[in-house]
Amino acid sequence: MGDDGRDGGTVNGVLLDFDKRSDDTHLRITWATNLRVRAHNNKGGAECYWELRLDGQSCAKPSKIGASMHSQHNDNDHQPVAITGWCQAVKKGPHSLSVYVSRNGGNTDCYTG
């Protein structure tokens, strides 16, 4: 994966296709990268949200898998982050894993990678 400065939508370069071998197991997912949140006006109040999605959908059981970051004042730090979670009731067969990013408003600049 490279980097992606988008503030909303599916992140480029993060797509993992795989085959789940059994209906009877849970799916454990771990993703590690660098994330950054910055306020365009340098006064803070910026929030970005990253969600790991299975086949383009949120993990329904037990919950969504993701992380959020907030920015204070003129922060522009790229933080190493690892996100881990479980999905239950995922059927065996082919699947794809992607990452979706969103933000709290137009003052927010999200960065992945």
Side-chain angles (χ1 to χ4, degrees), residues 26-27 59-65 85-89:
H26 301 306
L27 183 64
C59 181
K61 185 178 177 184
S63 67
K64 293 180 180 182
I65 302 170
W86 287 262
C87 279
Q88 298 173 351

Side-chain angles (χ1 to χ4, degrees), residues 38-39 41-44 71-77:
R38 186 168 184 272
N41 66 5
N42 297 329
K43 294 183 180 178
S71 175
Q72 298 298 322
H73 305 293
N74 194 20
D75 290 345
N76 190 19
D77 301 328

Side-chain angles (χ1 to χ4, degrees), residues 1 10-17 53 55-56 95-99:
M1 179 194 154
T10 302
V11 175
N12 287 330
V14 184
L15 181 63
L16 174 66
D17 293 322
R53 291 189 172 179
D55 302 326
H95 297 279
S96 63
L97 178 71
S98 60
V99 177

Side-chain angles (χ1 to χ4, degrees), residues 4-80:
D4 192 332
R6 79 182 57 236
D7 298 324
T10 302
V11 175
N12 287 330
V14 184
L15 181 63
L16 174 66
D17 293 322
F18 63 95
D19 282 310
K20 187 168 183 282
R21 296 182 184 172
S22 174
D23 286 331
D24 299 333
T25 59
H26 301 306
L27 183 64
R28 180 178 174 203
I29 301 167
T30 299
W31 178 60
T33 190
N34 291 306
L35 303 176
R36 193 259 343 230
V37 178
R38 186 168 184 272
H40 289 296
N41 66 5
N42 297 329
K43 294 183 180 178
E47 302 171 22
C48 295
Y49 315 96
W50 288 265
E51 181 187 354
L52 304 179
R53 291 189 172 179
L54 187 62
D55 302 326
Q57 303 295 316
S58 300
C59 181
K61 185 178 177 184
S63 67
K64 293 180 180 182
I65 302 170
S68 62
M69 288 182 64
H70 305 183
S71 175
Q72 298 298 322
H73 305 293
N74 194 20
D75 290 345
N76 190 19
D77 301 328
H78 293 252
Q79 300 291 326

